[in-house]
Amino acid sequence: MARRRISMAQIRDVAKLAAVSPATVSRAFSDPSKLSTTTLERVLAAAEELKYKPSSLAQLFREERTNTVLVMVPDIANVLFARVVSGIERVAVENKFNLIVSDTGDDAAIESVGVEMVETYRADGVIQLGERPLDQLHHEGEHCAIPFVQAISADPRGRYPTVGIDDRSAAAMMAEHLLASGHRQIGVLAGLKDRLVTQERLTGIRDALAARELPLDETMVAYGPYSMAGGENSAMRLLSRKTNVSALFCMSDEIAIGAIRAAHDLGFNLPNDLSISGFDNIEFGKYCTPPLTTVMQPAEKIGEVAMTLMCDILRGHAVTGIHEMLATELVARASVREVG
């Protein structure tokens, strides 16, 4: 008589029934304290219904670390992001972690695949350089237990740790510098309109103007990508239709470098005819003609802090709700002149 083979429930079966990831099922048995009560109860109920018994050997295997952290970068060619990655790598090497750097092109689908790497045990955690929230990258949203740190243009409203700067106050500082230099007709070359960092910096500009009882003229704001090409195109559009602009506030140094190119092509004598300021303090800025006034953003330090937070998470330390904001400073150079 043929022996009937009994089909045993697998971890993926429990995950499907409980509507969670396989990694969450694994954590329910290996480290249940990391899950919410609701999620844990749902997983245990599904396991009981399917008579699932976790394999002790498989569980031990899954607890092994890869000692690898995935770093998701929206644009690897962006100098600021490259500096952040440099800081991440410095701390990773000190702590004997490997890095996988993924150029996502700021694509949510690619970032979601990156998050899945942790679930399939190809990486221990994810550092994201950008502001897209985790609930847009994983079906469990805020309850996702994946080790996750957000850096640079971070959204501090999430439960996961973040590290960046106070974009609002930094932008207000630069706007006040332009105002103190006598400029009143200030054009703004903003980044993409739907980005939190863009809106935070616009709010900072409004703060500085409001302190002098001045409004922000929305027709003086041009939106575009955070890139040299984006800055060149935005400057061309704004300067071609606004002839009274005395200064341009650019939301990144790369935007400012593109704006300098456009201004030269349009026949402006810089800074006599037009002052231009940037944001980030990338190396190229001081070699522009004229050298670029900017806001120093501590990119390498941001990377170091982000990787330190990730190391703490992977060592079991509680870092939920930590939002690090690092100091910025004004770097005054020749691209901004005083006007009467």
Side-chain angles (χ1 to χ4, degrees):
M1 181 177 178
R3 180 175 294 177
R4 182 183 174 190
R5 185 175 180 179
I6 299 174
S7 177
M8 297 180 64
Q10 303 294 316
I11 191 170
R12 62 178 177 272
D13 301 318
V14 179
K16 183 177 181 180
L17 181 60
V20 297
S21 67
T24 299
V25 176
S26 177
R27 288 189 185 92
F29 292 97
S30 63
D31 195 359
S33 64
K34 289 188 176 180
L35 301 181
S36 68
T37 302
T38 302
T39 300
L40 180 60
E41 289 176 350
R42 196 163 71 243
V43 171
L44 294 179
E48 183 176 356
E49 180 178 337
L50 296 173
K51 295 181 170 50
Y52 170 73
K53 299 293 183 184
S55 163
S56 58
L57 180 61
Q59 195 166 320
L60 285 171
F61 176 76
R62 287 186 173 93
E63 288 174 359
E64 289 293 325
R65 297 288 187 194
T66 66
N67 283 339
T68 299
V69 172
L70 173 67
V71 182
M72 300 194 301
V73 185
D75 180 8
I76 198 65
N78 184 291
V79 177
L80 179 70
F81 293 145
R83 288 170 55 204
V84 176
V85 172
S86 178
I88 292 172
E89 184 171 28
R90 190 174 301 121
V91 175
V93 169
E94 290 173 358
N95 289 273
K96 296 181 170 55
F97 277 93
N98 301 308
L99 296 182
I100 299 174
V101 179
S102 172
D103 186 355
T104 67
D106 201 27
D107 187 317
I110 295 176
E111 290 181 352
S112 294
V113 171
V115 169
E116 289 174 5
M117 288 183 65
V118 180
E119 296 187 320
T120 53
Y121 308 101
R122 288 175 288 166
D124 295 334
V126 176
I127 298 177
Q128 179 203 41
L129 275 56
E131 62 186 44
R132 186 171 286 113
L134 185 56
D135 60 11
Q136 292 182 17
L137 304 177
H138 194 278
H139 66 276
E140 290 181 30
E142 288 285 309
H143 299 294
C144 176
I146 286 173
F148 187 83
V149 175
Q150 202 173 57
I152 208 72
S153 301
D155 184 351
R157 295 171 296 187
R159 289 176 58 250
Y160 38 81
T162 66
V163 54
I165 63 168
D166 186 337
D167 286 288
R168 179 174 177 174
S169 65
M173 174 175 63
M174 177 56 78
E176 174 54 33
H177 177 67
L178 295 176
L179 291 165
S181 298
H183 296 281
R184 294 297 180 269
Q185 299 300 317
I186 301 173
V188 179
L189 302 190
L192 297 172
K193 190 173 185 178
D194 63 346
R195 298 303 165 84
L196 177 64
V197 61
T198 301
Q199 294 305 319
E200 285 291 298
R201 291 179 186 178
L202 272 177
T203 300
I205 295 169
R206 291 190 183 97
D207 290 343
L209 290 168
R212 293 173 178 260
E213 299 183 346
L214 297 170
L216 174 63
D217 183 351
E218 299 294 340
T219 67
M220 298 275 274
V221 181
Y223 297 94
Y226 281 91
S227 66
M228 296 181 198
E232 183 180 18
N233 292 335
S234 293
M236 281 289 188
R237 294 198 318 270
L238 184 62
L239 295 175
S240 295
R241 61 185 171 81
K242 291 287 185 179
T243 58
N244 60 338
V245 178
S246 70
L248 289 177
F249 181 119
C250 301
M251 288 199 180
S252 78
D253 285 353
E254 292 204 12
I255 290 175
I257 292 169
I260 288 173
R261 168 68 180 271
H264 283 310
D265 288 348
L266 290 171
F268 285 88
N269 184 322
L270 305 180
N272 294 327
D273 299 334
L274 179 69
S275 291
I276 296 179
S277 69
F279 201 109
D280 292 334
N281 195 33
I282 66 174
E283 187 75 6
F284 296 153
K286 63 184 178 183
Y287 297 107
C288 290
T289 303
L292 185 62
T293 293
T294 188
V295 172
M296 186 283 295
Q297 183 167 190
E300 290 89 352
K301 184 65 176 178
I302 288 172
E304 291 172 0
V305 174
M307 187 62 204
T308 299
L309 287 169
M310 178 57 69
C311 290
D312 287 344
I313 293 171
L314 296 178
R315 288 168 181 152
H317 301 158
V319 296
T320 301
I322 290 180
H323 303 296
E324 297 271 2
M325 282 195 177
L326 305 186
T328 59
E329 64 181 59
L330 180 74
V331 180
R333 299 193 183 106
S335 68
V336 173
R337 68 180 286 262
E338 292 189 2
V339 295

